[in-house]
Amino acid sequence: MKKMLQRLAGACLLACSSALLAATPQAVVKTYADVAQANYEDALGGARRLQAAVSRLLEAPSAETLAAARRAWIDARVPYQQTEAFRFGNPVVDAWEGRVNAWPLDEGMIDYVDAAYGTDSELNAYYVVNVIANPQLKIGGKNVDASSITPELLREVLHEADGNEANVATGYHAIEFLLWGQDLNGTGAAPQGRSGTPQERHAGNRPYTDYDTANCSGGNCERRAQYLKVATDLLVDDLEEMVTWWQQGGKARAAVEADGKAGLVAMLTGMGSLSYGELAGERIKLGLILHDPEEEHDCFSDNTHNAHFYNQQGIANVYLGRYAGADGQRIEGASVSDLVRAIDPALDDEMKARLDSTLAAMEVMRERAKNVETYDQMIAQGNAEGNAVIQTIVDQLVAQTRTIERVIAALGLAGVQIEGSDSLDSPASVFQ
């Protein structure tokens, strides 16, 4: 028995050593590209299911088909938010991302808004241009025929018109606004009479009759339907393109696989920048400083708690070289974790513990959103308990980033630039 255990231990040691030896930078980068491809394929699948649900809504508008389209949108966010770890450090992905996930948006450019929204903005000339209600527009000093809402109109004319990033005409959040309408609840209690989870009670409340041409509320139902269809089709087209970029020979895969060490720089840049400047800073701490319900990522649907959670899952995916696909299949291979473990096992343990503790803090937020109050209520001024839940996430993300920096140093990677955030690095400047 003792000899058998010794043989098993020796076999395990040999296998483990072989695994660590196999974890070359080139092998790690290949796993990274494989994970990215699988993740974007899942995001594309989610977008296609959303496209089908939107088609059913437009063919037969009802409370049920609208609810199904909203559910499909929320489901589609699960894989997509995990892909954001591939954005930072990969210029080709970052340049593309603005088409599909730009936020926040000035919704008055797209459709009708509540009177409280106002009628103009010093920061945006197209604050209430309302393309759905206006078939003739003036953009950039030129007359624009918007009588037909086309992909070209949304992508080439309206999206980021005049270079203003608040003019978001395409992507998940334009579609989100068209499905939910404005979230007018602020940080207060949900309106009386609404049923469902806190998220469902507190989100936007666009009626399905906004798409019912026989009983049209909000006016311009045909044009609104046209806009929603075009925006959803564009989302599918964009994700199809990104999937091809991560396939063999695609430009995103080629860019990271060309040089193993440069690929590692891209990976650690993505992990660190999403963890710190983007997620801890711009997406979470800024809203907590301002106590502003508009500073939430999936604001119309009140789905921000899930958006943040799956961003963190994406960071873990990159470090561990793993991805659990929507079909139950797993992608797994040589990882950054393997490289770090070969150099400093204690540091690898620390990094894994940081990933787990941050995800656990995110899960506390998700459970609170499911059972107590929505994310925008958690960041409200005077909500000490909710604020503490969100601040804990910020603290965990910052600590996680400090460990990522130690990983970068241990791997001897030069050129990693982790994005910062005024809300973390210079909070007083947020109010200037």
Side-chain angles (χ1 to χ4, degrees), residues 53-76:
V54 164
S55 292
R56 289 190 289 271
L57 166 65
L58 301 183
E59 289 167 4
S62 69
E64 292 73 23
T65 54
L66 176 58
R70 289 173 173 174
R71 183 72 252 168
W73 186 93
I74 289 172
D75 290 346

Side-chain angles (χ1 to χ4, degrees), residues 41 76 374:
E41 285 173 351
T374 55

Side-chain angles (χ1 to χ4, degrees), residues 188-209:
Q192 293 293 318
R194 290 204 197 174
S195 60
T197 65
Q199 176 184 359
E200 291 166 333
R201 293 196 302 271
H202 208 256
N205 195 33
R206 185 187 291 278
Y208 77 85
T209 48

